Amino acid sequence: MKNKHQLVWGVILFGALAVLIVYSSGLFLLVKNADTGGYTQGYYNSGMMGGRVNSNQNSSGEKLTPDQILSDVENYLKGYGNNLQMADIFVFTDADYYVSVEEKDTGKGAMELLVNPYTGQVYPEPGPNMMWNEKYSMMMGGSFRYNANATYTATVNRTEAVKIADDFVKSQLGETFSVPGDGHAFYGYYTFHIEENGKTIGMLSVNDTTGEVWYHDWHGELEQVISEH
Protein backbone atom coordinates (compact mmCIF):
# COMPACT_ATOMS: atom_id res chain seq x y z
CA MET A 1 0.00 0.00 0.00
CA LYS A 2 2.83 2.37 0.86
CA ASN A 3 4.55 1.65 -2.44
CA LYS A 4 1.28 2.35 -4.29
CA HIS A 5 0.98 5.78 -2.65
CA GLN A 6 4.60 6.56 -3.47
CA LEU A 7 3.94 5.62 -7.11
CA VAL A 8 0.88 7.88 -7.31
CA TRP A 9 2.73 10.84 -5.82
CA GLY A 10 5.64 10.17 -8.13
CA VAL A 11 3.37 10.34 -11.18
CA ILE A 12 1.81 13.60 -9.92
CA LEU A 13 5.20 15.22 -9.29
CA PHE A 14 6.48 14.09 -12.69
CA GLY A 15 3.43 15.57 -14.42
CA ALA A 16 3.79 18.88 -12.56
CA LEU A 17 7.47 19.05 -13.52
CA ALA A 18 6.63 18.42 -17.17
CA VAL A 19 4.05 21.24 -17.18
CA LEU A 20 6.55 23.62 -15.56
CA ILE A 21 9.20 22.81 -18.19
CA VAL A 22 6.76 23.41 -21.08
CA TYR A 23 5.57 26.70 -19.55
CA SER A 24 9.13 27.92 -18.97
CA SER A 25 10.09 27.01 -22.54
CA GLY A 26 7.13 29.00 -23.85
CA LEU A 27 8.14 32.08 -21.88
CA PHE A 28 11.71 31.79 -23.12
CA LEU A 29 10.62 31.60 -26.76
CA LEU A 30 8.28 34.57 -26.31
CA VAL A 31 11.06 36.73 -24.88
CA LYS A 32 13.53 35.51 -27.48
CA ASN A 33 11.18 36.38 -30.35
CA ALA A 34 10.52 39.83 -28.86
CA ASP A 35 14.25 40.54 -28.62
CA THR A 36 15.02 39.67 -32.26
CA GLY A 37 13.53 42.94 -33.57
CA GLY A 38 12.15 41.01 -36.56
CA TYR A 39 8.80 41.69 -38.19
CA THR A 40 6.57 39.53 -35.99
CA GLN A 41 3.33 39.81 -34.06
CA GLY A 42 2.94 43.12 -32.22
CA TYR A 43 3.80 43.23 -28.54
CA TYR A 44 3.92 45.75 -25.72
CA ASN A 45 6.44 45.83 -22.89
CA SER A 46 5.66 46.91 -19.35
CA GLY A 47 5.19 50.60 -18.64
CA MET A 48 3.01 53.10 -20.50
CA MET A 49 3.58 51.30 -23.78
CA GLY A 50 7.04 50.26 -24.92
CA GLY A 51 7.78 47.71 -27.60
CA ARG A 52 7.50 47.91 -31.36
CA VAL A 53 4.13 47.50 -33.06
CA ASN A 54 4.59 44.83 -35.73
CA SER A 55 1.86 42.71 -37.28
CA ASN A 56 2.40 39.40 -39.03
CA GLN A 57 3.66 39.81 -42.58
CA ASN A 58 2.07 37.92 -45.45
CA SER A 59 3.59 34.87 -47.10
CA SER A 60 5.07 36.81 -50.04
CA GLY A 61 7.15 39.06 -47.78
CA GLU A 62 6.51 42.04 -50.09
CA LYS A 63 5.12 45.32 -48.81
CA LEU A 64 2.03 46.85 -50.35
CA THR A 65 2.40 50.02 -52.42
CA PRO A 66 1.41 53.38 -50.90
CA ASP A 67 -1.64 53.46 -53.19
CA GLN A 68 -2.78 50.08 -51.87
CA ILE A 69 -2.32 51.28 -48.29
CA LEU A 70 -4.35 54.40 -49.06
CA SER A 71 -7.14 52.29 -50.51
CA ASP A 72 -7.27 50.04 -47.44
CA VAL A 73 -7.45 53.04 -45.10
CA GLU A 74 -10.15 54.71 -47.20
CA ASN A 75 -12.25 51.55 -47.00
CA TYR A 76 -11.76 51.49 -43.22
CA LEU A 77 -12.85 55.13 -42.86
CA LYS A 78 -16.11 54.51 -44.72
CA GLY A 79 -17.42 53.03 -41.49
CA TYR A 80 -17.36 56.55 -40.01
CA GLY A 81 -19.28 58.26 -42.83
CA ASN A 82 -17.79 60.53 -45.49
CA ASN A 83 -16.28 63.32 -43.38
CA LEU A 84 -12.86 61.78 -42.68
CA GLN A 85 -9.69 61.87 -44.75
CA MET A 86 -6.05 60.89 -44.36
CA ALA A 87 -3.60 63.61 -43.37
CA ASP A 88 -0.14 62.06 -42.92
CA ILE A 89 1.33 58.62 -43.45
CA PHE A 90 4.49 57.69 -41.54
CA VAL A 91 6.36 54.87 -43.29
CA PHE A 92 8.53 52.81 -40.94
CA THR A 93 11.17 50.32 -42.04
CA ASP A 94 10.37 47.62 -39.49
CA ALA A 95 6.95 48.40 -38.03
CA ASP A 96 3.35 49.02 -39.05
CA TYR A 97 2.70 52.29 -40.86
CA TYR A 98 1.11 55.18 -38.97
CA VAL A 99 -1.78 57.19 -40.46
CA SER A 100 -3.27 60.38 -39.02
CA VAL A 101 -6.89 61.07 -39.95
CA GLU A 102 -8.65 64.42 -39.93
CA GLU A 103 -12.16 65.77 -40.40
CA LYS A 104 -12.86 67.30 -43.79
CA ASP A 105 -15.15 70.04 -42.53
CA THR A 106 -13.11 71.23 -39.53
CA GLY A 107 -9.57 70.12 -40.41
CA LYS A 108 -9.29 68.83 -36.83
CA GLY A 109 -7.57 65.54 -36.11
CA ALA A 110 -9.99 62.64 -35.72
CA MET A 111 -7.97 59.49 -35.03
CA GLU A 112 -4.65 57.74 -35.44
CA LEU A 113 -4.37 54.37 -37.18
CA LEU A 114 -1.77 51.68 -37.80
CA VAL A 115 -1.60 49.67 -41.01
CA ASN A 116 0.12 46.36 -41.64
CA PRO A 117 2.21 47.15 -44.77
CA TYR A 118 2.11 43.49 -45.87
CA THR A 119 -1.58 42.66 -45.46
CA GLY A 120 -3.28 46.07 -45.39
CA GLN A 121 -4.93 45.35 -42.03
CA VAL A 122 -6.02 48.65 -40.44
CA TYR A 123 -6.55 49.10 -36.70
CA PRO A 124 -6.61 51.93 -34.11
CA GLU A 125 -3.24 53.01 -32.76
CA PRO A 126 -2.83 52.25 -29.04
CA GLY A 127 -1.86 54.98 -26.59
CA PRO A 128 -3.41 58.47 -26.69
CA ASN A 129 -5.66 57.56 -29.61
CA MET A 130 -7.41 55.02 -27.41
CA MET A 131 -7.11 56.61 -23.98
CA TRP A 132 -7.39 60.37 -24.62
CA ASN A 133 -9.59 60.68 -27.71
CA GLU A 134 -12.89 62.24 -26.63
CA LYS A 135 -14.75 61.72 -29.92
CA TYR A 136 -13.29 58.86 -31.94
CA SER A 137 -11.92 55.45 -31.01
CA MET A 138 -11.83 55.82 -27.25
CA MET A 139 -11.63 52.49 -25.45
CA MET A 140 -14.85 52.00 -23.51
CA GLY A 141 -15.58 48.62 -21.99
CA GLY A 142 -13.73 46.65 -24.64
CA SER A 143 -15.28 48.47 -27.61
CA PHE A 144 -14.71 51.73 -29.45
CA ARG A 145 -16.88 54.78 -28.95
CA TYR A 146 -17.79 57.19 -31.74
CA ASN A 147 -19.73 60.29 -30.75
CA ALA A 148 -20.55 62.17 -33.95
CA ASN A 149 -22.00 65.17 -32.08
CA ALA A 150 -19.20 65.63 -29.56
CA THR A 151 -17.90 69.15 -28.93
CA TYR A 152 -14.69 69.81 -27.09
CA THR A 153 -12.65 72.78 -25.85
CA ALA A 154 -9.00 72.33 -24.87
CA THR A 155 -7.62 73.96 -21.71
CA VAL A 156 -4.01 73.65 -22.91
CA ASN A 157 -3.69 75.61 -26.15
CA ARG A 158 -1.50 74.60 -29.07
CA THR A 159 1.31 77.07 -28.28
CA GLU A 160 1.51 75.81 -24.70
CA ALA A 161 1.42 72.20 -25.86
CA VAL A 162 4.28 72.76 -28.33
CA LYS A 163 6.44 74.22 -25.57
CA ILE A 164 5.62 71.32 -23.25
CA ALA A 165 6.53 68.85 -26.01
CA ASP A 166 9.72 70.68 -26.97
CA ASP A 167 10.89 70.88 -23.36
CA PHE A 168 10.18 67.16 -22.98
CA VAL A 169 12.23 65.99 -25.97
CA LYS A 170 15.16 68.25 -25.09
CA SER A 171 15.26 66.96 -21.52
CA GLN A 172 14.61 63.30 -22.35
CA LEU A 173 16.23 62.85 -25.78
CA GLY A 174 18.78 65.65 -26.04
CA GLU A 175 19.29 69.22 -27.20
CA THR A 176 19.46 68.20 -30.88
CA PHE A 177 15.78 67.19 -30.74
CA SER A 178 12.90 69.63 -31.10
CA VAL A 179 9.14 69.91 -31.63
CA PRO A 180 8.53 72.79 -34.06
CA GLY A 181 4.74 72.36 -33.94
CA ASP A 182 3.94 70.24 -37.00
CA GLY A 183 1.13 67.81 -36.25
CA HIS A 184 -2.55 67.71 -35.41
CA ALA A 185 -4.95 68.74 -32.68
CA PHE A 186 -7.25 65.84 -31.84
CA TYR A 187 -10.27 65.76 -29.54
CA GLY A 188 -8.48 65.57 -26.20
CA TYR A 189 -4.83 65.85 -27.18
CA TYR A 190 -2.24 66.99 -29.70
CA THR A 191 0.20 64.82 -31.64
CA PHE A 192 3.36 66.57 -32.82
CA HIS A 193 6.26 65.54 -35.03
CA ILE A 194 9.65 65.20 -33.36
CA GLU A 195 12.68 66.43 -35.28
CA GLU A 196 16.38 65.77 -34.86
CA ASN A 197 18.61 68.35 -36.54
CA GLY A 198 15.66 69.44 -38.70
CA LYS A 199 14.62 65.93 -39.81
CA THR A 200 11.38 64.27 -38.64
CA ILE A 201 12.17 61.10 -36.69
CA GLY A 202 8.99 60.33 -34.71
CA MET A 203 6.12 61.79 -32.71
CA LEU A 204 4.63 62.38 -29.29
CA SER A 205 1.30 63.49 -27.88
CA VAL A 206 0.30 66.07 -25.27
CA ASN A 207 -2.96 65.86 -23.33
CA ASP A 208 -4.83 69.14 -23.87
CA THR A 209 -6.30 69.13 -20.36
CA THR A 210 -3.44 67.97 -18.12
CA GLY A 211 -0.39 68.70 -20.28
CA GLU A 212 0.76 65.09 -19.83
CA VAL A 213 3.21 63.89 -22.50
CA TRP A 214 2.97 60.48 -24.16
CA TYR A 215 6.00 59.63 -26.32
CA HIS A 216 5.23 57.22 -29.19
CA ASP A 217 8.09 54.81 -28.59
CA TRP A 218 6.57 51.82 -30.40
CA HIS A 219 7.15 52.74 -34.05
CA GLY A 220 10.77 52.02 -34.92
CA GLU A 221 12.89 53.73 -37.58
CA LEU A 222 11.09 56.31 -39.72
CA GLU A 223 11.69 55.97 -43.46
CA GLN A 224 9.54 58.77 -44.88
CA VAL A 225 6.47 60.94 -44.25
CA ILE A 226 3.78 61.21 -46.90
CA SER A 227 1.43 64.17 -46.49
CA GLU A 228 -1.95 63.78 -48.12
CA HIS A 229 -3.48 67.06 -46.89
Side-chain angles (χ1 to χ4, degrees), residues 77-218:
L77 294 179
K78 289 179 181 178
Y80 291 88
N82 61 1
N83 190 40
L84 299 182
Q85 63 185 6
M86 286 170 285
D88 297 319
I89 301 175
F90 279 50
V91 177
F92 296 95
T93 59
D94 53 357
D96 289 352
Y97 294 177
Y98 163 91
V99 178
S100 59
V101 178
E102 64 185 10
E103 296 175 333
K104 294 178 182 178
D105 57 351
T106 66
K108 191 176 182 69
M111 66 181 72
E112 299 172 287
L113 304 173
L114 295 179
V115 185
N116 183 319
Y118 296 95
T119 67
Q121 178 188 4
V122 182
Y123 59 100
E125 184 187 37
N129 177 64
M130 286 187 179
M131 306 307 296
W132 291 348
N133 199 319
E134 295 291 339
K135 184 173 182 179
Y136 301 88
S137 301
M138 185 176 182
M139 187 68 75
M140 296 291 289
S143 61
F144 292 98
R145 182 182 71 180
Y146 167 49
N147 183 358
N149 299 315
T151 58
Y152 188 81
T153 302
T155 56
V156 176
N157 64 44
R158 190 184 187 99
T159 300
E160 293 169 334
V162 170
K163 186 178 187 309
I164 290 171
D166 191 63
D167 289 344
F168 176 87
V169 298
K170 283 181 167 53
S171 65
Q172 299 297 318
L173 304 179
E175 289 295 326
T176 59
F177 295 86
S178 64
V179 176
D182 294 336
H184 299 277
F186 294 88
Y187 288 89
Y189 66 100
Y190 306 90
T191 292
F192 299 120
H193 301 179
I194 300 173
E195 294 187 359
E196 181 180 17
N197 296 320
K199 179 181 178 181
T200 301
I201 56 93
M203 67 194 78
L204 57 66
S205 298
V206 178
N207 188 293
D208 66 13
T209 300
T210 66
E212 181 181 356
V213 176
W214 201 326
Y215 176 52
H216 296 212
D217 62 350
W218 51 88

Side-chain angles (χ1 to χ4, degrees), residues 12-13 22-23 27 48 62 68 71 79-80 87 89 134 143 145 149 156 161-162 167 183 188 194 197 226 228-229:
I12 294 174
L13 290 174
V22 172
Y23 179 75
L27 286 178
M48 289 296 285
E62 296 180 0
Q68 290 173 312
S71 177
Y80 291 88
I89 301 175
E134 295 291 339
S143 61
R145 182 182 71 180
N149 299 315
V156 176
V162 170
D167 289 344
I194 300 173
N197 296 320
I226 303 172
E228 289 296 305
H229 298 280

